[in-house]
Amino acid sequence: MNNFDFTFSDTIQGYVSYFDRRERSVQLTTSDGRQYKGLLASNAYARIAENLDEPYADATQRLAELLMPGTLVYAHGMFYPEGDQASFEIKWLVFPGNGPNIYRQDEQDWWIKQIHSI
């Protein structure tokens, strides 16, 4: 990784490798094999992807259930420089479905509802 001496935000898409509930740490593995460890911020929140006309689907209270190995997740947060490393503080998470290999966009009527809502 390039050295940097500034803070920035970014979103990582990856599969959960592990989740330590006590530490509030999550390791994600991207589709190209890179691994990122992040710490959930004290005010971190989560949601399930929703269709355009669906209400917000909060998943904050379900983190322990959803952060199972193999689950795809989008994690957005802040990268902070710490010497030759960077720490990643996760601010919010978006799950594309309710568990590993479950994706809302694969639902039979997902795209039909999406088109109707436009």
PDB file of all heavy atoms in Angstrom, residues 44-56:
ATOM      1  N   ALA A  44     -21.634   3.103  14.680  1.00  0.00           N
ATOM      2  CA  ALA A  44     -21.809   2.444  13.382  1.00  0.00           C
ATOM      3  C   ALA A  44     -23.238   1.928  13.249  1.00  0.00           C
ATOM      4  O   ALA A  44     -23.859   1.511  14.218  1.00  0.00           O
ATOM      5  CB  ALA A  44     -20.823   1.288  13.240  1.00  0.00           C
ATOM      6  N   TYR A  45     -23.742   1.989  12.024  1.00  0.00           N
ATOM      7  CA  TYR A  45     -25.088   1.479  11.760  1.00  0.00           C
ATOM      8  C   TYR A  45     -25.068   0.630  10.500  1.00  0.00           C
ATOM      9  O   TYR A  45     -24.106   0.666   9.733  1.00  0.00           O
ATOM     10  CB  TYR A  45     -26.106   2.625  11.651  1.00  0.00           C
ATOM     11  CG  TYR A  45     -25.849   3.591  10.522  1.00  0.00           C
ATOM     12  CD1 TYR A  45     -26.463   3.426   9.287  1.00  0.00           C
ATOM     13  CD2 TYR A  45     -25.000   4.683  10.692  1.00  0.00           C
ATOM     14  CE1 TYR A  45     -26.237   4.315   8.256  1.00  0.00           C
ATOM     15  CE2 TYR A  45     -24.772   5.576   9.663  1.00  0.00           C
ATOM     16  CZ  TYR A  45     -25.392   5.392   8.450  1.00  0.00           C
ATOM     17  OH  TYR A  45     -25.159   6.264   7.421  1.00  0.00           O
ATOM     18  N   ALA A  46     -26.129  -0.134  10.300  1.00  0.00           N
ATOM     19  CA  ALA A  46     -26.185  -1.054   9.164  1.00  0.00           C
ATOM     20  C   ALA A  46     -27.606  -1.104   8.617  1.00  0.00           C
ATOM     21  O   ALA A  46     -28.574  -0.833   9.325  1.00  0.00           O
ATOM     22  CB  ALA A  46     -25.754  -2.451   9.596  1.00  0.00           C
ATOM     23  N   ARG A  47     -27.677  -1.473   7.352  1.00  0.00           N
ATOM     24  CA  ARG A  47     -28.985  -1.634   6.706  1.00  0.00           C
ATOM     25  C   ARG A  47     -28.908  -2.741   5.675  1.00  0.00           C
ATOM     26  O   ARG A  47     -27.819  -3.118   5.228  1.00  0.00           O
ATOM     27  CB  ARG A  47     -29.462  -0.335   6.065  1.00  0.00           C
ATOM     28  CG  ARG A  47     -28.644   0.097   4.862  1.00  0.00           C
ATOM     29  CD  ARG A  47     -29.158   1.427   4.305  1.00  0.00           C
ATOM     30  NE  ARG A  47     -28.336   1.920   3.223  1.00  0.00           N
ATOM     31  CZ  ARG A  47     -28.525   1.622   1.934  1.00  0.00           C
ATOM     32  NH1 ARG A  47     -29.505   0.819   1.571  1.00  0.00           N
ATOM     33  NH2 ARG A  47     -27.729   2.116   1.011  1.00  0.00           N
ATOM     34  N   ILE A  48     -30.075  -3.241   5.322  1.00  0.00           N
ATOM     35  CA  ILE A  48     -30.219  -4.215   4.232  1.00  0.00           C
ATOM     36  C   ILE A  48     -30.589  -3.406   2.991  1.00  0.00           C
ATOM     37  O   ILE A  48     -31.376  -2.458   3.079  1.00  0.00           O
ATOM     38  CB  ILE A  48     -31.341  -5.242   4.529  1.00  0.00           C
ATOM     39  CG1 ILE A  48     -31.118  -5.949   5.863  1.00  0.00           C
ATOM     40  CG2 ILE A  48     -31.496  -6.229   3.382  1.00  0.00           C
ATOM     41  CD1 ILE A  48     -29.944  -6.876   5.906  1.00  0.00           C
ATOM     42  N   ALA A  49     -30.041  -3.749   1.849  1.00  0.00           N
ATOM     43  CA  ALA A  49     -30.367  -3.042   0.611  1.00  0.00           C
ATOM     44  C   ALA A  49     -31.881  -3.080   0.398  1.00  0.00           C
ATOM     45  O   ALA A  49     -32.523  -4.112   0.606  1.00  0.00           O
ATOM     46  CB  ALA A  49     -29.648  -3.687  -0.567  1.00  0.00           C
ATOM     47  N   GLU A  50     -32.410  -1.935  -0.001  1.00  0.00           N
ATOM     48  CA  GLU A  50     -33.849  -1.866  -0.245  1.00  0.00           C
ATOM     49  C   GLU A  50     -34.105  -1.340  -1.652  1.00  0.00           C
ATOM     50  O   GLU A  50     -33.258  -0.672  -2.238  1.00  0.00           O
ATOM     51  CB  GLU A  50     -34.543  -0.984   0.797  1.00  0.00           C
ATOM     52  CG  GLU A  50     -34.225   0.485   0.725  1.00  0.00           C
ATOM     53  CD  GLU A  50     -33.007   0.891   1.542  1.00  0.00           C
ATOM     54  OE1 GLU A  50     -32.484   0.106   2.342  1.00  0.00           O
ATOM     55  OE2 GLU A  50     -32.552   2.027   1.345  1.00  0.00           O
ATOM     56  N   ASN A  51     -35.259  -1.666  -2.166  1.00  0.00           N
ATOM     57  CA  ASN A  51     -35.686  -1.184  -3.460  1.00  0.00           C
ATOM     58  C   ASN A  51     -36.022   0.296  -3.340  1.00  0.00           C
ATOM     59  O   ASN A  51     -36.203   0.810  -2.229  1.00  0.00           O
ATOM     60  CB  ASN A  51     -36.906  -1.982  -3.927  1.00  0.00           C
ATOM     61  CG  ASN A  51     -36.802  -2.391  -5.385  1.00  0.00           C
ATOM     62  OD1 ASN A  51     -36.399  -1.611  -6.225  1.00  0.00           O
ATOM     63  ND2 ASN A  51     -37.170  -3.625  -5.664  1.00  0.00           N
ATOM     64  N   LEU A  52     -36.116   0.994  -4.458  1.00  0.00           N
ATOM     65  CA  LEU A  52     -36.308   2.442  -4.425  1.00  0.00           C
ATOM     66  C   LEU A  52     -37.538   2.884  -3.629  1.00  0.00           C
ATOM     67  O   LEU A  52     -37.509   3.910  -2.973  1.00  0.00           O
ATOM     68  CB  LEU A  52     -36.407   2.989  -5.856  1.00  0.00           C
ATOM     69  CG  LEU A  52     -35.117   2.941  -6.663  1.00  0.00           C
ATOM     70  CD1 LEU A  52     -35.371   3.368  -8.092  1.00  0.00           C
ATOM     71  CD2 LEU A  52     -34.054   3.806  -6.021  1.00  0.00           C
ATOM     72  N   ASP A  53     -38.610   2.147  -3.708  1.00  0.00           N
ATOM     73  CA  ASP A  53     -39.834   2.578  -3.017  1.00  0.00           C
ATOM     74  C   ASP A  53     -40.074   1.839  -1.694  1.00  0.00           C
ATOM     75  O   ASP A  53     -41.141   1.956  -1.102  1.00  0.00           O
ATOM     76  CB  ASP A  53     -41.048   2.425  -3.927  1.00  0.00           C
ATOM     77  CG  ASP A  53     -41.270   1.001  -4.400  1.00  0.00           C
ATOM     78  OD1 ASP A  53     -40.401   0.142  -4.133  1.00  0.00           O
ATOM     79  OD2 ASP A  53     -42.308   0.743  -5.042  1.00  0.00           O
ATOM     80  N   GLU A  54     -39.091   1.111  -1.210  1.00  0.00           N
ATOM     81  CA  GLU A  54     -39.214   0.397   0.063  1.00  0.00           C
ATOM     82  C   GLU A  54     -38.673   1.257   1.200  1.00  0.00           C
ATOM     83  O   GLU A  54     -37.772   2.082   0.995  1.00  0.00           O
ATOM     84  CB  GLU A  54     -38.435  -0.918   0.022  1.00  0.00           C
ATOM     85  CG  GLU A  54     -39.011  -1.931  -0.941  1.00  0.00           C
ATOM     86  CD  GLU A  54     -38.152  -3.192  -1.026  1.00  0.00           C
ATOM     87  OE1 GLU A  54     -36.996  -3.199  -0.569  1.00  0.00           O
ATOM     88  OE2 GLU A  54     -38.667  -4.182  -1.570  1.00  0.00           O
ATOM     89  N   PRO A  55     -39.193   1.061   2.401  1.00  0.00           N
ATOM     90  CA  PRO A  55     -38.680   1.824   3.540  1.00  0.00           C
ATOM     91  C   PRO A  55     -37.275   1.355   3.929  1.00  0.00           C
ATOM     92  O   PRO A  55     -36.850   0.260   3.569  1.00  0.00           O
ATOM     93  CB  PRO A  55     -39.683   1.514   4.660  1.00  0.00           C
ATOM     94  CG  PRO A  55     -40.281   0.205   4.284  1.00  0.00           C
ATOM     95  CD  PRO A  55     -40.281   0.165   2.777  1.00  0.00           C
ATOM     96  N   TYR A  56     -36.596   2.204   4.675  1.00  0.00           N
ATOM     97  CA  TYR A  56     -35.269   1.908   5.195  1.00  0.00           C
ATOM     98  C   TYR A  56     -35.318   0.603   5.982  1.00  0.00           C
ATOM     99  O   TYR A  56     -36.219   0.395   6.797  1.00  0.00           O
ATOM    100  CB  TYR A  56     -34.821   3.064   6.088  1.00  0.00           C
ATOM    101  CG  TYR A  56     -33.468   2.889   6.708  1.00  0.00           C
ATOM    102  CD1 TYR A  56     -32.314   3.181   5.999  1.00  0.00           C
ATOM    103  CD2 TYR A  56     -33.343   2.441   8.016  1.00  0.00           C
ATOM    104  CE1 TYR A  56     -31.064   3.033   6.572  1.00  0.00           C
ATOM    105  CE2 TYR A  56     -32.087   2.292   8.598  1.00  0.00           C
ATOM    106  CZ  TYR A  56     -30.967   2.589   7.867  1.00  0.00           C
ATOM    107  OH  TYR A  56     -29.733   2.438   8.443  1.00  0.00           O
TER     108      TYR A  56
END
